[in-house]
Amino acid sequence: MRNKKVLVGASILSEDFFDIQKTIKKLNSSDVDFIHLDVMDGVFVPNISFGPAFIKNIRPYTKKFFDVHLMVKNPLPYIERFVEAGADAISVHIEAKNAMKSIKLIKSFGKKCCIVVNPKTDAKKVKKFLDFVDAVMVMTVEPGFGGQKFMENQLVKISKISNLIKKSGRKISLEVDGGINFETGKLAVQNGVNILVVGSFLFKQKKFNETILKLKSY
Ligand code: DX5
Ligand code: ZN
């Protein structure tokens, strides 16, 4: 039986950045477990979002945990800036430059760290990171944009990684990002996921907090 409680984080990528205080207030009065912040450099992914200054600006307005997802080609020189900006957890891609060095640096600041795998990356590649990370995150869309369709072919990889985590005997979370809704969220959890990141589906809902609670109940 699964004993891990499902945690839900909200990705604000598809929200109006001009009116971000409204989004933050909505999240503050909800049961969401964390805020997922998508940083994009226009090189690692074909889109540009925001950097540490934006994160620093919103930090005083919420006590929620900040999960910073770095979709950048070389995260290493920027880790410290994101720590200073108020990140509680930082995720780096396995496909990025200096992934292992970045993970170790994040740990050295006492922050939670997560290794992320793109849809085309093999599950086996995460093995060498399992001694160092707090979480593994599987992308279920090609990173770059919110509102894409969940790639069901990633479910096999999710359960393979879930088994690798079990075998490691370590307390590592398994997280999924991209195209999460009630149906795909449930599929992910059934395959071993305990953290769901949800963006456009959540913010479209009239029953905002009920949506969060339903996803958390999986
Ligand atoms: C994709 C981002 C995701 C995405 C989630 O590159 O990393 O966090 O914004 O949004 P939805 O739930 O709309 O796929
Ligand atoms: Zn993300």
Side-chain angles (χ1 to χ4, degrees):
M1 216 180 84
R2 195 169 48 82
N3 52 12
K4 282 185 199 162
K5 182 166 136 290
V6 174
L7 301 180
V8 171
S11 159
I12 60 165
L13 183 64
S14 305
E15 287 292 280
D16 179 351
F17 293 161
F18 181 74
D19 212 2
I20 206 67
Q21 287 209 12
K22 197 172 132 198
T23 303
I24 299 298
K25 273 186 195 155
K26 198 171 177 182
L27 291 169
N28 282 346
S29 58
S30 81
D31 287 294
V32 83
D33 295 294
F34 62 90
I35 300 178
H36 180 89
L37 298 150
D38 289 303
V39 175
M40 303 177 178
D41 67 352
V43 182
F44 186 76
V45 286
N47 196 8
I48 301 175
S49 57
F50 50 78
F54 177 78
I55 295 172
K56 199 173 185 166
N57 286 162
I58 58 176
R59 186 66 281 187
Y61 298 95
T62 179
K63 290 191 176 70
K64 296 278 185 197
F65 187 96
F66 274 6
D67 171 37
V68 176
H69 177 191
L70 298 181
M71 285 160 275
V72 302
K73 199 175 175 187
N74 188 11
L76 191 63
Y78 301 101
I79 303 293
E80 194 168 356
R81 301 263 310 274
F82 285 101
V83 170
E84 282 167 5
D88 297 298
I90 301 181
S91 305
V92 293
H93 274 258
I94 213 164
E95 305 85 5
K97 221 172 134 185
N98 293 319
M100 186 63 96
K101 275 191 189 163
S102 300
I103 290 290
K104 290 182 179 168
L105 186 60
I106 297 164
K107 280 256 94 148
S108 78
F109 287 115
K111 303 296 170 190
K112 299 272 184 211
C113 63
C114 170
I115 192 76
V116 193
V117 276
N118 270 343
K120 292 189 190 81
T121 303
D122 204 274
K124 287 200 290 279
K125 296 237 167 111
V126 306
K127 264 192 194 164
K128 67 171 187 182
F129 288 88
L130 297 182
D131 280 337
F132 307 97
V133 296
D134 299 291
V136 177
M137 184 162 85
V138 176
M139 293 307 301
T140 37
V141 296
E142 283 297 342
F145 300 90
Q148 301 182 76
K149 196 174 174 290
F150 180 89
M151 296 166 77
E152 289 212 11
N153 62 2
Q154 294 303 301
L155 289 170
V156 176
K157 186 159 86 193
I158 288 170
S159 63
K160 273 188 194 162
I161 295 176
S162 172
N163 286 329
L164 290 176
I165 291 174
K166 270 184 212 144
K167 259 191 227 158
S168 77
R170 295 175 55 92
K171 222 178 141 239
I172 300 169
S173 287
L174 183 53
E175 184 169 354
V176 77
D177 185 16
I180 295 300
N181 56 36
F182 290 142
E183 193 190 324
T184 59
K186 187 163 236 170
L187 284 173
V189 171
Q190 282 166 348
N191 283 276
V193 164
N194 69 303
I195 303 182
L196 300 169
V197 171
V198 55
S200 47
F201 174 74
L202 173 64
F203 287 103
K204 264 190 269 172
Q205 305 295 320
K206 282 208 179 73
K207 294 181 174 174
F208 190 74
N209 204 44
E210 280 178 37
T211 304
I212 294 167
L213 292 175
K214 184 166 173 181
L215 290 166
K216 286 175 74 158
S217 76
Y218 287 162

